[in-house]
Amino acid sequence: MVSVTRVHNLEQVLASNDVRQWLTDTGLETHTVDALYEGVEWLLDQQKRLDAHPVHDIDFTRQGLQIVEIMLELSMDDESLLAALLYPYFGPQATDKKLKEAISAKFGKHILDLLNGVRKMANLGLLSSRVKHSAAQAENIRRMLTAMVEDVRSVVIKLSQQVVYLRNIKNGDEETRVLAAKETQTIFAPLANRLGIGQLKWELEDYAFRYLQPDVYKNIAKSLEETRETRQQYLENFVENLAGKMKDIGIQAEVYGRPKHIYSIYKKMQKKDYDFSQLFDIRAVRVITERLQDCYSALGVIHTNWRHIPSEFDDYVATPKPNGYQSIHTVVIGPEGKPIEIQIRTLEMHEEAELGVAAHWQYKEADSKNKNVKMSSYEEKIAWLRKLLLWQEEMADTNEFAEELHNQVVEDRVYVFTPEGDVVDLPSGSTPLDFAYYIHTNVGHRCIGAKVFNRIVPFTYQLKTGDQIEIITGKEANPKRDWLNPNLDYVHSSRARAKIQTWFKQQDKDKNIVEGKHLVENELGRLNLPWSEMDKAVERFNMNSIDDLLAGIGGGDVRLNQVINYIQSLVEQPNRPEIDPRLIQKPRKKGKKYQNGVVLQGVGNLMNQLAGCCNPIAGDDIVGYITQGRGVVIHRSDCEQFKVVMEEHPERFIEASWAEQYSGGYVSNVQVFANDRSGLIRDVTTILANEKINVIGMTTDSDVQNQVVKMGLKLEVYNLSAFNRVLDKISQVEEVIKVKRV
């Protein structure tokens, strides 16, 4: 397929009704122009017959051609372009049997299959909210994944359609813009990044940022515009100088200034705590070479003639990013002492960075060497999609799968190696156990140790890009229940957790009852909660008896935290009115920027107070409830009291989160009961020091006759995960009998 360019403004083309000429001028082959123009004429004819849809004839055609315009820049094949043209008309009527028959008869079954695949991709939006998914939603997710595996072109069309949708709602109401932006930021932009389609990723991110944080977006855009002419002239001089120096030594390369995307500027400002004037990459240059060795030759020219900043150098050619991205990044001090970011890559690397999976169709007719390179990259991404589909079948809990898919698509990745040198792509934060379960279920079950570069590491070791990992296995499967404890950080991925839970479910029920009872008794004792409320929990979790509930907890079917939170809500009198002051903690004085360290979404810094029924601590998932006269009360998202009041007043819900920069602490008292021994206090305080927990006060009370000691700790903690983690680690200290919060 030949490359194409925009030669006219599409709106002008539509106004002048000269679509055929526009298609011709893009450089498409004649048969492609004929097929697309036939599609346009059919589309206009169909719209004229729409009695039930009072839409101007041009609307669907305009939307379709807008998607085609984007697809042309991605160098997609003829079938993709035709499906993109038809989709805005097809999508809202996808269940119309007669329409499907008409499309199949007119354009062929392969076009209809592609349109159905794009329609299934709309199910991605189901994952924009981290809520539990119903069985029907789980089936939609499965269908979406199936469509992606069957024909990944449907992904490219859907992402292009999302860009067009974001463009067209810029003058729409705020609610529409915000919902579309959240969906884009949560799912579509990360998916474009995961599939390597940088050309779409940047535009999706910029529009989402523009709609979610309009003031910040406008400030950065204004700063860019104010410096545009000066920056452009500066870059033109630098580019001319650099191109000349490379030509002098025989390097064939294209050098040009590249556009900066506003969201990437914002991320850099946030990450490094810079203001606009401090950024290195406002002035950005790209060097495209013909050969790989020319990349490093060009780097030598650049570093010889301009002083570079070592901390800003990255070689993604030697070590590519997990999505296949390759490029050399460096920052040099240019004329007048101004920093300039330079990216150096080959033409193949550039097309992979901009097109990702879309580059596959551009190279279908290329020579075998290039074709093999592109096919390898393409097959890697398709293999990733197939793995997602396989994992969905392994996970019975649809919420677990939704969480794992979110991790796979959105989270940062680490890039590690097996002893044989094979590459494994895992979510950031993964541990050796995550790696073991990724390799094979039985490898995870029989894992008894792990080595990184031949050095033994603990199961809680967080893998880093470039690590080479070897798993040590035993003869028999022997997972530990502690691996499921989220506070001990043994596993990070939902997939590994699901496999461990499945193993325990298959074990003897009597053993699960004993284990479940042990876990519940420990948690109830630690939080001073009564066992008597367990009868109500049996009904709440749809169990027939306490033994069934305990077996569910012991086997991993029922989450211990959910049961404990429910019992805690019963003890804290959930029927008390929301505005009862005894339910509300006194506002803490620390943290001047955000009261109680809470950010309320979209409404600024309103008065807020922490609910006493669930005692949220930084790190909890939180939500807000707008009261009458007492501001916003902040609850944990799983708080039973919050669920009760929301059933009566759902309109009072407001999103809330913890401020990233909040530095306020939360004081909590802990009691430790242990058999007295030498070194006990040292071991406990060592854990507190390692976890960076401040000890405000400590008391000990020894029973010499029974050789038992009770230790009282007054701790200052900064988030829930740190607090729970330290309690669990203290409970594992030798001779410690019980640890509880008081």
Side-chain angles (χ1 to χ4, degrees):
M1 175 173 287
V2 297
S3 62
V4 294
T5 56
R6 297 189 197 187
V7 294
H8 294 302
N9 179 281
L10 181 57
E11 294 301 315
Q12 294 176 355
V13 170
L14 290 170
S16 63
N17 197 28
D18 199 9
V19 175
R20 177 182 281 277
Q21 187 61 48
W22 174 73
L23 291 170
T24 302
D25 291 345
T26 58
L28 290 169
E29 296 179 5
T30 302
H31 66 86
T32 305
V33 173
D34 290 342
L36 287 173
Y37 192 68
E38 184 181 8
V40 170
E41 290 185 321
W42 181 86
L43 195 57
L44 289 170
D45 184 59
Q46 293 298 311
Q47 286 182 245
K48 290 177 182 178
R49 301 178 184 180
L50 282 179
D51 296 327
H53 297 275
V55 182
H56 294 298
D57 288 351
I58 198 66
D59 281 355
F60 287 134
T61 307
R62 175 185 285 111
Q63 291 174 31
L65 286 171
Q66 286 172 337
I67 302 174
V68 168
E69 186 179 33
I70 294 174
M71 301 283 285
L72 288 172
E73 296 177 353
L74 296 173
S75 300
M76 295 297 291
D77 66 326
D78 296 356
E79 292 180 359
S80 300
L81 295 175
L82 184 55
L85 174 69
L86 299 176
Y87 182 70
Y89 177 76
F90 172 83
Q93 307 174 81
T95 57
D96 188 331
K97 186 176 180 180
K98 290 184 178 180
L99 175 61
K100 290 184 176 182
E101 291 174 351
I103 290 175
S104 182
K106 178 70 176 177
F107 302 105
K109 185 176 181 301
H110 49 289
I111 296 296
L112 179 61
D113 290 341
L114 196 50
L115 286 168
N116 283 325
V118 181
R119 176 64 179 171
K120 291 176 185 177
M121 288 298 301
N123 294 323
L124 274 172
L126 294 171
L127 301 180
S128 59
S129 174
R130 299 295 298 279
V131 298
K132 282 189 176 295
H133 298 283
S134 66
Q137 289 173 323
E139 177 62 16
N140 284 335
I141 294 172
R142 188 196 67 77
R143 289 176 181 172
M144 176 268 294
L145 290 174
T146 303
M148 293 167 72
V149 172
E150 288 175 352
D151 198 333
V152 78
R153 290 179 296 178
S154 60
V155 186
V156 183
I157 298 174
K158 176 57 188 172
L159 293 176
S160 301
Q161 185 265 336
Q162 187 73 7
V163 170
V164 170
Y165 178 62
L166 291 170
R167 290 175 181 174
N168 290 338
I169 63 171
K170 62 182 179 182
N171 296 322
D173 62 89
E174 183 178 5
E175 181 180 2
T176 299
R177 293 197 306 271
V178 169
L179 288 176
K182 286 184 176 179
E183 184 179 66
T184 299
Q185 192 176 67
T186 305
I187 294 296
F188 291 112
L191 182 62
N193 177 62
R194 193 68 175 79
L195 297 178
I197 314 175
Q199 193 162 309
L200 296 182
K201 167 184 176 287
W202 293 119
E203 191 163 1
L204 290 167
E205 288 180 338
D206 273 8
Y207 272 111
F209 179 50
R210 177 179 181 177
Y211 295 153
L212 290 175
Q213 301 189 57
D215 292 338
V216 181
Y217 178 93
K218 289 176 183 177
N219 287 338
I220 296 176
K222 182 179 178 181
S223 298
L224 281 173
E225 183 60 29
E226 288 173 348
T227 62
R228 184 178 60 84
E229 291 186 7
T230 303
R231 185 174 67 253
Q232 186 172 340
Q233 185 59 51
Y234 181 90
L235 284 177
E236 287 177 0
N237 295 337
F238 182 85
V239 164
E240 183 178 358
N241 189 7
L242 174 57
K245 292 182 182 300
M246 288 197 294
K247 186 176 181 181
D248 290 342
I249 64 171
I251 299 177
Q252 297 294 322
E254 180 184 1
V255 185
Y256 58 90
R258 65 184 180 89
K260 284 306 300 176
H261 301 281
I262 293 178
Y263 183 65
S264 69
I265 293 173
Y266 170 75
K267 285 200 300 184
K268 186 70 68 70
M269 293 169 65
Q270 293 294 106
K271 181 179 179 180
K272 300 196 174 184
D273 198 22
Y274 286 169
D275 59 34
F276 184 84
S277 63
Q278 294 175 292
L279 293 176
F280 293 140
D281 54 356
I282 298 303
R283 292 165 289 275
V285 171
R286 182 171 287 146
V287 178
I288 308 295
T289 69
E290 292 185 352
R291 303 176 304 169
L292 175 59
Q293 55 266 42
D294 290 339
C295 289
Y296 291 97
S297 298
L299 180 66
V301 171
I302 293 167
H303 284 184
T304 299
N305 288 276
W306 294 277
R307 181 168 60 87
H308 76 286
I309 301 174
S311 61
E312 298 296 322
F313 176 79
D314 291 294
D315 187 353
Y316 296 118
V317 172
T319 307
K321 290 186 177 182
N323 66 356
Y325 176 87
Q326 288 184 288
S327 187
I328 297 172
H329 293 190
T330 187
V331 176
V332 300
I333 304 300
E336 304 173 26
K338 296 179 179 179
I340 303 172
E341 183 194 61
I342 304 175
Q343 294 180 351
I344 311 167
R345 59 179 71 152
T346 65
L347 179 60
E348 288 78 14
M349 293 174 190
H350 176 67
E351 287 167 345
E352 176 72 15
E354 294 299 304
L355 305 181
V357 293
H360 163 65
W361 287 275
Q362 183 179 7
Y363 278 81
K364 282 199 299 185
E365 306 302 328
D367 62 83
S368 59
K369 181 179 178 181
N370 282 336
K371 184 178 179 181
N372 289 338
V373 170
K374 294 298 170 183
M375 282 297 292
S376 175
S377 171
Y378 169 75
E379 288 298 336
E380 284 178 4
K381 293 176 174 63
I382 294 300
W384 168 72
L385 295 174
R386 288 183 179 130
K387 285 176 183 176
L388 282 180
L389 192 59
L390 176 63
W391 296 342
Q392 189 266 347
E393 295 172 356
E394 293 175 350
M395 293 180 174
D397 188 323
T398 58
N399 195 51
E400 289 276 359
F401 173 66
E403 181 182 344
E404 181 64 15
L405 180 56
H406 182 276
N407 292 343
Q408 288 289 326
V409 174
V410 178
E411 286 193 1
D412 292 334
R413 318 295 295 174
V414 291
Y415 201 45
V416 297
F417 299 89
T418 67
E420 292 75 28
D422 295 327
V423 179
V424 174
D425 177 14
L426 296 169
S428 179
S430 293
T431 67
L433 282 173
D434 290 305
F435 174 85
Y437 278 104
Y438 181 96
I439 298 301
H440 196 277
T441 301
N442 284 333
V443 174
H445 287 344
R446 295 189 294 113
C447 180
I448 59 174
K451 293 181 180 180
V452 172
F453 295 119
N454 293 318
R455 178 176 60 86
I456 294 290
V457 295
F459 284 156
T460 55
Y461 172 82
Q462 289 197 358
L463 302 176
K464 302 177 180 62
T465 294
D467 282 350
Q468 187 177 58
I469 310 161
E470 177 186 351
I471 299 298
I472 305 170
T473 57
K475 293 182 179 180
E476 302 294 334
N478 190 30
K480 302 293 190 294
R481 293 188 184 276
D482 281 343
W483 294 358
L484 293 173
N485 190 327
N487 302 316
L488 297 179
D489 297 327
Y490 283 117
V491 293
H492 174 78
S493 67
S494 300
R495 181 175 180 240
R497 191 178 303 114
K499 288 178 176 291
I500 298 168
Q501 289 170 341
T502 299
W503 190 87
F504 281 112
K505 282 192 294 184
Q506 295 171 348
Q507 305 308 300
D508 184 72
K509 182 178 178 180
D510 291 339
K511 183 178 179 181
N512 289 341
I513 292 174
V514 173
E515 291 289 344
K517 185 175 182 180
H518 173 71
L519 292 170
V520 171
E521 286 179 339
N522 281 350
E523 284 298 299
L524 293 179
R526 191 174 75 178
L527 298 173
N528 286 330
L529 297 174
W531 177 270
S532 58
E533 301 294 346
M534 283 291 290
D535 288 333
K536 296 178 181 177
V538 170
E539 181 179 353
R540 168 66 176 78
F541 289 92
N542 299 315
M543 296 291 177
N544 295 322
S545 66
I546 288 182
D547 281 351
D548 288 342
L549 179 59
L550 294 177
I553 295 171
D557 289 333
V558 180
R559 295 192 177 184
L560 175 63
N561 286 347
Q562 292 179 337
V563 177
I564 298 302
N565 289 341
Y566 176 70
I567 293 176
Q568 191 172 29
S569 71
L570 296 177
V571 173
E572 294 290 341
Q573 302 179 17
N575 294 323
R576 185 178 295 157
E578 169 67 23
I579 60 174
D580 189 330
R582 289 172 293 177
L583 281 178
I584 302 175
Q585 296 180 355
K586 294 180 180 179
R588 295 179 170 87
K589 296 180 180 180
K590 294 187 177 182
K592 296 180 180 180
K593 186 173 181 180
Y594 297 105
Q595 184 180 0
N596 294 318
V598 173
V599 181
L600 299 172
Q601 300 298 319
V603 293
N605 190 22
L606 289 182
M607 179 179 70
N608 66 80
Q609 304 185 54
L610 303 179
C613 53
C614 55
N615 299 307
I617 294 177
D620 282 328
D621 287 333
I622 55 173
V623 289
Y625 178 80
I626 303 173
T627 66
Q628 296 180 351
R630 292 185 177 271
V632 178
V633 176
I634 307 301
H635 292 263
R636 291 204 313 253
S637 59
D638 59 354
C639 173
E640 293 292 334
Q641 169 69 7
F642 174 75
K643 293 176 182 177
V644 171
V645 297
M646 282 305 298
E647 287 179 0
E648 299 178 1
H649 301 287
E651 73 282 357
R652 296 190 184 184
F653 167 81
I654 186 171
E655 291 185 15
S657 60
W658 298 102
E660 293 183 4
Q661 304 299 325
Y662 183 64
S663 59
Y666 302 82
V667 176
S668 184
N669 294 311
V670 174
Q671 285 185 348
V672 180
F673 299 88
N675 295 318
D676 202 357
R677 66 171 175 82
S678 175
L680 176 64
I681 295 178
R682 178 200 62 210
D683 291 346
V684 172
T685 54
T686 296
I687 290 174
L688 297 173
N690 291 339
E691 293 295 321
K692 297 181 175 58
I693 300 294
N694 294 329
V695 181
I696 298 175
M698 174 185 290
T699 60
T700 58
D701 184 10
S702 297
D703 183 342
V704 177
Q705 182 176 355
N706 295 315
Q707 290 293 297
V708 174
V709 62
K710 181 174 75 172
M711 187 184 306
L713 303 171
K714 190 173 186 180
L715 308 177
E716 183 180 28
V717 296
Y718 291 85
N719 60 72
L720 180 66
S721 61
F723 179 65
N724 285 337
R725 184 167 58 248
V726 77
L727 292 187
D728 286 316
K729 289 191 175 182
I730 291 175
S731 68
Q732 294 185 349
V733 171
E734 183 182 357
E735 300 295 348
V736 168
I737 301 169
K738 182 169 62 173
V739 181
K740 69 176 183 177
R741 182 179 179 181
V742 294

